[in-house]
Amino acid sequence: MQKKVTNITFNPGFKENIYYPEVFRGLWITNRHFFVNMWRHTLNLFGIRTKVRPAVTYQYPEDPRPAHYRLRGRHRLTEKQNGAMRCTACMLCETICPCDCIHIVPGESPDPHIEKFPEEFTIDLLRCCYCGFCVEACPVDAIRMDVTRTEMAGYTRDIILTKELLLGKVKAHPWENWIAEGVEEKAG
Amino acid sequence: MIDWVILAASAVKMLIMIAIVMGIAIILTWVERKQSAVMQDRIGANRADILGLRIIGLFQPFADAIKMITKEDFIPPFSNKFLHTLAPVITFFAVLVVFAVIPLGPPLEIAGRTISMQIADINIGLLFILAFGGLAVYGVVLAGWSSNNKYTLLAAVRGSAQMISYEVCLGLSLIGAIMIYGTLDMTDMVLQQSGYWFGWIPRWGIIMQPLGALLFLPAAIAENKRVPFDLPECESEILGYHMEYSGLRAGMFMFAEFIEIIFIAALFTVIFLGGWQIPYLYWDGFHWPWGGMWYLPFWFVKTLEFLALFGKIAFMIYFMILVRWTLPRFRYDQLMRLGWKYLLPLGVLNLAVTGVVLVIIGRI
């Protein structure tokens, strides 16, 4: 099947060659943008009509871009009400993980009512593709991916989340620079 | 015999002029970034602060200056060191010296002396401006050639061709105004724009010479090498004539460009927008064309005139930044076609029409 090709020819006449009419049309548009945005900035300065945004910019650290409620951020392990881990080391998440980034070492739980618990639960974050399969696979709602935890950066190539980091036992930096801290802690 | 009073007055005027021009140029580096941001629905530079005080980023020029001063000032070992150092100085000198003939107000009568508000009250003001405007080409050519780099040399060739072409249009667009005013003295030009047609249309240059004003602006922007005529510079891709400059020397080129924006705005204001004049404002207040008066004290009128001059200059600066952030760059052949095939014939046409009209109304 032949592709449909549209040829657009543009023959500039005197009006285009002299540039002035088109130039003033363009200047009118940018000028309008300037004054509309200045008017909105001024109104916002006095707290009027703050829903209307004068600029598309998000002032990032103070005013981050609102995330979608189904965004899959950094993983988190949840706890029961008595403080024990929900995870029963059933290995479903490790099995379904397409990136092979979850590594669980099961152990015998100290609680006599519970059979197993993970002695180690590590996620190699650089391998993770944030598909969310582990969250869907988990039968006990032990692993979640949070909307708010999206600021992930580190200084090394082995960013490995340990069980303590995933449980939030290791205190995170206010700027969410927690991975680098964790890595340093592990190395030290 | 040296008149010491005139000499002292000139020194004071020089200091005031340099302070004003440099101050505006420093603020312009911030204004350009901020205005372009607002035009493009962005926010712009607002992070620079002193001790947590950030007035919508007004300290950005200081941050820029500190950055530029503390950067390494590198002279390439393969360059001609003398000319490499000289080029930014020439550029800077050429754009700064022309402010000597820009009048800031009407001549003042103080203690029996008439003190002109120009630094140099010479009666060849416009010729002086065109001559020193032509000197700016040397800055471009020397910077490009002395860097001993193929790209800067090509940019310098482009730049010199462009500047020489557009200087023709620049001069030609001003000749119509010169014919009407019959003088080259800048103060005299402003004073001649004080009358009214039919008692209410101010006789500003832009009303008597609309085509001249329309031709002057693009030619002047091309002389300044700003977008859409920034072929010699084009910092984003094809490399400009000041590629081998760093630190404060590159800053001087950039700063010279901002000073020239102010200069073009001032020149346009003086020749086409009636300088410091406000319509219907006389020395004792407003005389409305529909009758009636509004008396104002003398000092208030003088202040208003001074503010009017800078308001007009600010408007022209706004317009030039608007142009710079709206239009894409001309291709080289488009640039030359616009200059030689459209602006130049239109300039000649403007000249002929002005001459015919002047003969008809009996001024020549």
Side-chain angles (χ1 to χ4, degrees):
Chain A
M1 190 184 142
Q2 199 173 1
K3 272 189 180 173
K4 196 183 168 191
V5 178
T6 314
N7 284 318
I8 297 170
T9 51
F10 174 62
N11 294 318
F14 184 76
K15 189 184 157 200
E16 282 79 21
N17 270 329
I18 199 67
Y19 296 112
Y20 278 112
E22 299 297 309
V23 161
F24 278 107
R25 211 153 63 91
L27 287 179
W28 171 247
I29 290 170
T30 46
N31 192 36
R32 195 183 63 210
H33 269 260
F34 179 80
F35 280 104
V36 167
N37 288 334
M38 277 312 278
W39 174 242
R40 288 176 179 170
H41 273 301
T42 316
L43 284 186
N44 284 6
L45 200 64
F46 296 109
I48 309 165
R49 287 179 69 195
T50 43
K51 290 257 173 70
V52 182
R53 294 167 57 81
V56 294
T57 316
Y58 289 98
Q59 300 273 312
Y60 168 61
E62 301 100 17
D63 169 30
R65 183 185 178 127
H68 192 262
Y69 72 100
R70 289 185 62 175
L71 184 106
R72 298 188 291 266
R74 201 249 290 185
H75 314 73
R76 176 166 64 97
L77 290 179
T78 54
E79 291 174 343
K80 292 179 203 163
Q81 280 183 344
N82 63 2
M85 284 180 74
R86 271 180 186 273
C87 180
T88 55
C90 68
M91 314 295 274
L92 277 178
C93 51
E94 187 178 336
T95 311
I96 203 168
C97 183
C99 313
D100 201 13
C101 69
I102 302 179
H103 179 64
I104 303 174
V105 176
E108 200 166 322
S109 171
D111 191 340
H113 301 293
I114 297 167
E115 195 181 340
K116 288 196 295 181
F117 93 113
E119 278 182 351
E120 270 182 38
F121 193 111
T122 50
I123 294 179
D124 188 350
L125 209 59
L126 290 184
R127 291 189 69 116
C128 180
C129 67
Y130 299 92
C131 61
F133 283 0
C134 49
V135 181
E136 288 178 31
C138 186
V140 292
D141 192 19
I143 186 164
R144 289 183 188 170
M145 294 175 97
D146 282 345
V147 171
T148 51
R149 301 192 180 187
T150 50
E151 290 152 336
M152 284 167 283
Y155 295 105
T156 53
R157 282 300 179 95
D158 54 338
I159 298 174
I160 291 163
L161 298 182
T162 58
K163 196 169 78 173
E164 286 74 27
L165 272 165
L166 285 164
L167 281 166
K169 293 274 166 67
V170 178
K171 200 173 178 303
H173 196 263
W175 289 91
E176 289 281 301
N177 205 354
W178 44 273
I179 293 174
E181 275 194 350
V183 168
E184 273 166 25
E185 215 164 72
K186 216 160 69 85
Chain B
M1 184 65 198
I2 304 167
D3 191 343
W4 289 102
V5 177
I6 295 293
L7 210 62
S10 292
V12 169
K13 281 186 286 190
M14 256 184 260
L15 284 179
I16 291 174
M17 185 61 108
I18 286 178
I20 289 174
V21 169
M22 288 295 186
I24 297 179
I26 286 170
I27 295 170
L28 261 191
T29 59
W30 172 77
V31 165
E32 170 149 32
R33 297 169 68 171
K34 205 72 180 172
Q35 186 187 332
S36 65
V38 175
M39 275 165 57
Q40 299 173 346
D41 304 348
R42 295 184 284 113
I43 285 179
N46 66 348
R47 293 281 154 166
D49 64 285
I50 293 179
L51 301 175
L53 178 72
R54 57 159 96 145
I55 314 164
I56 53 173
L58 206 53
F59 296 122
Q60 189 66 37
F62 298 108
D64 284 342
I66 291 169
K67 179 201 79 174
M68 218 162 261
I69 290 166
T70 51
K71 260 186 173 179
E72 185 189 0
D73 187 12
F74 182 69
I75 300 177
F78 44 81
S79 68
N80 185 328
K81 287 186 181 51
F82 176 69
L83 292 179
H84 190 269
T85 313
L86 191 67
V89 177
I90 289 180
T91 311
F92 208 69
F93 168 77
V95 298
L96 207 53
V97 75
V98 282
F99 276 98
V101 289
I102 296 290
L104 288 181
L108 275 181
E109 299 270 348
I110 298 176
R113 289 171 188 275
T114 308
I115 292 181
S116 162
M117 293 299 271
Q118 281 167 289
I119 294 173
D121 192 4
I122 48 180
N123 57 5
I124 54 159
L126 206 52
L127 277 184
F128 181 84
I129 285 168
L130 289 175
F132 277 96
L135 206 62
V137 181
Y138 283 100
V140 175
V141 174
L142 287 182
W145 181 79
S146 69
S147 298
N148 199 3
N149 180 317
K150 294 182 192 70
Y151 297 104
T152 58
L153 183 62
L154 282 172
V157 170
R158 281 199 306 272
S160 53
Q162 170 187 328
M163 289 174 83
I164 291 169
S165 309
Y166 276 81
E167 227 156 67
V168 179
C169 308
L170 189 74
L172 212 58
S173 64
L174 289 178
I175 288 179
I178 296 170
M179 282 165 74
I180 287 182
Y181 302 140
T183 176
L184 289 166
D185 188 357
M186 306 298 273
T187 309
D188 213 17
M189 277 188 190
V190 179
L191 291 177
Q192 289 208 24
Q193 300 177 49
S194 59
Y196 300 96
W197 274 338
F198 314 118
W200 62 279
I201 300 175
R203 280 176 47 177
W204 286 2
I206 195 163
I207 291 165
M208 293 192 285
Q209 281 282 318
L211 188 57
L214 270 185
L215 297 176
F216 171 78
L217 255 187
I221 294 175
E223 273 294 289
N224 192 10
K225 310 179 286 295
R226 265 171 83 78
V227 181
F229 304 100
D230 67 332
L231 280 161
E233 290 187 7
C234 36
E235 55 265 358
S236 49
E237 358 51 61
I238 48 177
L239 304 177
Y241 60 90
H242 47 43
M243 189 179 93
E244 296 285 359
Y245 285 85
S246 62
L248 209 53
R249 286 169 219 264
M252 276 173 87
F253 279 116
M254 197 194 76
F255 214 62
E257 191 184 306
F258 280 110
I259 292 175
E260 194 160 355
I261 295 173
I262 305 167
F263 171 68
I264 291 167
L267 191 62
F268 193 87
T269 304
V270 166
I271 297 177
F272 292 109
L273 291 183
W276 58 79
Q277 307 202 26
I278 303 173
Y280 321 129
L281 182 69
Y282 292 83
W283 64 272
D284 57 347
F286 283 101
H287 292 243
W288 304 113
W290 52 86
M293 264 195 73
W294 187 18
Y295 289 103
L296 292 169
F298 180 71
W299 62 269
F300 193 74
V301 170
K302 286 290 158 201
T303 316
L304 267 189
E305 284 177 342
F306 196 68
L307 288 181
L309 181 73
F310 280 96
K312 287 169 185 175
I313 290 176
F315 172 76
M316 288 315 295
I317 289 172
Y318 167 80
F319 184 78
M320 267 186 277
I321 296 178
L322 192 71
V323 169
R324 188 244 180 277
W325 289 92
T326 302
L327 302 178
R329 181 190 304 145
F330 283 108
R331 221 168 45 215
Y332 192 66
D333 60 323
Q334 290 172 331
L335 179 91
M336 285 298 155
R337 185 168 357 113
L338 178 72
W340 289 108
K341 287 173 76 177
Y342 292 95
L343 293 189
L344 190 69
L346 280 174
V348 175
L349 180 76
N350 184 37
L351 203 64
V353 171
T354 311
V356 168
V357 170
L358 283 181
V359 167
I360 287 173
I361 66 173
R363 284 270 300 272
I364 296 178

